[in-house]
Amino acid sequence: QVQLVESGGDLVQAGGSLRLSCAASGRISRFDAMAWYRQAPGNQRELVARITSGGRTNYAASVEGRFTISRDNAKNAVYLQMSGLKPEDTAVYYCNAERVVNVGGATVKYWGQGTQVTVSS
């Protein structure tokens, strides 16, 4: 079990930047991956960015080149640096911790409560 607490969400103008933080209650090094998801009203939750325990990253096509995910195992924290923000980036952003639980690749996911990002045009 782990508690994840997001912070850094805000109202920002289009073209601006924000840095989201996710603080974990335990060692994030025990998870196979950490990620940021987002959910806009009326939409399904979608993966924004993911970083594995080995440091490999992948991004949604819509944020590639604008967002950067990073992790600090010493601080048990994950960050999402967002730049060039667009109104369509408006959503609640959720921190996620993922652990593979069997050889078939099934995972257990833990979620934070989310932080609101609103981008005005």
Side-chain angles (χ1 to χ4, degrees), residues 22-64:
C22 172
S25 61
R27 292 181 297 111
I28 63 171
S29 58
R30 60 195 170 111
F31 293 99
D32 296 286
M34 302 294 295
W36 287 94
Y37 286 72
R38 67 186 180 187
Q39 187 167 19
N43 290 358
Q44 289 188 332
R45 192 171 295 190
E46 63 175 356
L47 175 67
V48 176
R50 183 174 178 270
I51 184 167
T52 68
S53 57
R56 288 196 306 270
T57 59
N58 63 281
Y59 298 90
S62 59
V63 308
E64 184 83 52

Side-chain angles (χ1 to χ4, degrees), residues 6-118:
E6 303 96 334
S7 62
D10 206 346
L11 170 64
V12 63
Q13 288 190 331
S17 298
L18 278 176
R19 187 194 196 209
L20 304 183
S21 299
C22 172
S25 61
R27 292 181 297 111
I28 63 171
S29 58
R30 60 195 170 111
F31 293 99
D32 296 286
M34 302 294 295
W36 287 94
Y37 286 72
R38 67 186 180 187
Q39 187 167 19
N43 290 358
Q44 289 188 332
R45 192 171 295 190
E46 63 175 356
L47 175 67
V48 176
R50 183 174 178 270
I51 184 167
T52 68
S53 57
R56 288 196 306 270
T57 59
N58 63 281
Y59 298 90
S62 59
V63 308
E64 184 83 52
R66 298 188 297 123
F67 291 10
T68 302
I69 188 171
S70 61
R71 60 191 293 163
D72 186 333
N73 286 354
K75 295 183 178 179
N76 293 314
V78 182
Y79 307 100
L80 186 68
Q81 180 66 49
M82 307 185 293
S83 60
L85 283 162
K86 305 175 181 180
E88 52 263 43
D89 294 318
T90 296
V92 177
Y93 284 70
Y94 297 92
C95 182
N96 165 267
E98 176 183 306
R99 179 185 294 129
V100 177
V101 296
N102 63 34
V103 295
T107 60
V108 171
K109 289 182 165 60
Y110 301 91
W111 298 94
Q113 83 290 347
T115 186
Q116 177 71 47
V117 172
T118 303

